[in-house]
Amino acid sequence: MAARIGGDEFAVLLEDVADADEAVGVAERFQAQLSVPLDVDGYRLCPSASISIAADSQGPPEKLMRAADAAMFQAKRSGKGRSVVFDPEPR
């Protein structure tokens, strides 16, 4: 399930995902598709996305969204086109 959170932020809920490694694989497929340049009205667009991953089947959805938001800040600090798994103890 995909949902627009606001502005240029979206959330994708992956069900039946065994662990964060499997979610990373999905994020890598998103990144691969986004790296393909687009031609729109004579302009060449090269989209990119920062992707955060929060994997926790326990706890309330609000906790999961806070974790994803924290990971998004880590991803954005790392540069364009990055995927980051939430780590409660960032290094």
Side-chain angles (χ1 to χ4, degrees), residues 22-66:
E22 193 173 341
V24 169
V26 173
E28 288 172 350
R29 291 194 301 274
F30 269 99
Q31 295 288 15
Q33 290 299 309
L34 285 170
S35 69
V36 176
L38 305 168
D39 290 316
V40 178
D41 291 333
Y43 294 94
R44 188 165 192 87
L45 305 177
C46 299
S48 67
S50 297
I51 298 176
S52 64
I53 299 166
D56 182 3
S57 61
Q58 308 300 315
E62 295 83 11
K63 179 182 174 187
L64 190 61
M65 289 302 292
R66 281 193 301 273

